[in-house]
Amino acid sequence: MGHRRHWRSPYQGLSQTIVQRASTSGLYFPLEQATSELLQQRGVLAASPAARGWLTGCIVGTTNGVAFNWMAAIKYASWGLPENKRSFRQTAQSMWCGGGIRPFVRGTAATVVRDVVFGSFFSGARGFIKSRTDHRPGAAAAAFLGNFAAAAVATVGSSPFNYARNMQRSEERRVGKE
């Protein structure tokens, strides 16, 4: 169940998480489609939709990781702050005053690795499944199940990197308080 102090503010950071997830997901799918179409138009890995999906996921994962790491940094920095000092703006301003750009880019490599692993598993599996289910009876149901399976595999594959990133951020907070 965990320590009692972990349950004092169970919804702390929820709004930042929702904004961050909406932003990353909102960019991921249009960027995935545009990247896949561009690679296909250029004949990159034309014979292998799974490999093209994998490359697409690597490109989009890198883009998302770099583009949105700063949001995660602010979210993590706000954890544990008093209610009146943990707004997104206040936390960002405090981070900027305390270290300039550095606190915003810290953890970018871990975020990129996590997002590349997720993207490559997800888009690669989708490309593989799509190449085997298109133009067959029940293609819509197969696409849904395929997307579900791809997301599950990608989540399992990237979760150790997500855990490592969270532990890195937690350690940074602990060391910063000493």
Side-chain angles (χ1 to χ4, degrees), residues 97-114:
C97 291
I101 194 74
R102 291 184 92 189
F104 296 95
V105 298
R106 191 176 296 129
T108 299
T111 300
V112 167
V113 169
R114 182 206 59 187

Side-chain angles (χ1 to χ4, degrees), residues 46-63:
S48 178
R52 189 174 53 251
W54 176 84
L55 180 58
T56 296
C58 288
I59 293 168
V60 176
T62 300
T63 303

Side-chain angles (χ1 to χ4, degrees), residues 35-151:
T35 303
S36 181
E37 288 172 3
L38 180 66
L39 292 174
Q40 191 168 9
Q41 290 168 1
R42 306 231 173 181
V44 176
L45 302 168
S48 178
R52 189 174 53 251
W54 176 84
L55 180 58
T56 296
C58 288
I59 293 168
V60 176
T62 300
T63 303
N64 257 8
V66 170
F68 293 106
N69 180 70
W70 64 273
M71 285 178 127
I74 295 169
K75 177 180 72 174
Y76 282 104
S78 72
W79 287 1
L81 293 176
E83 183 75 36
N84 63 340
K85 292 186 178 185
R86 69 173 176 227
S87 78
F88 191 82
R89 185 187 57 73
Q90 285 176 310
T91 304
Q93 184 176 12
S94 174
M95 289 169 65
W96 182 260
C97 291
I101 194 74
R102 291 184 92 189
F104 296 95
V105 298
R106 191 176 296 129
T108 299
T111 300
V112 167
V113 169
R114 182 206 59 187
D115 289 358
V116 164
V117 169
F118 181 89
S120 62
F121 275 61
F122 180 69
S123 296
R126 281 180 45 157
F128 176 80
I129 293 165
K130 187 173 175 10
S131 70
R132 282 154 178 71
T133 59
D134 273 357
H135 311 297
R136 294 197 176 141
F144 174 79
L145 292 173
N147 287 335
F148 182 83

Side-chain angles (χ1 to χ4, degrees), residues 1-10:
M1 181 85 168
H3 195 277
R4 182 178 300 200
R5 67 186 160 120
H6 295 150
W7 294 98
R8 285 188 199 136
S9 301

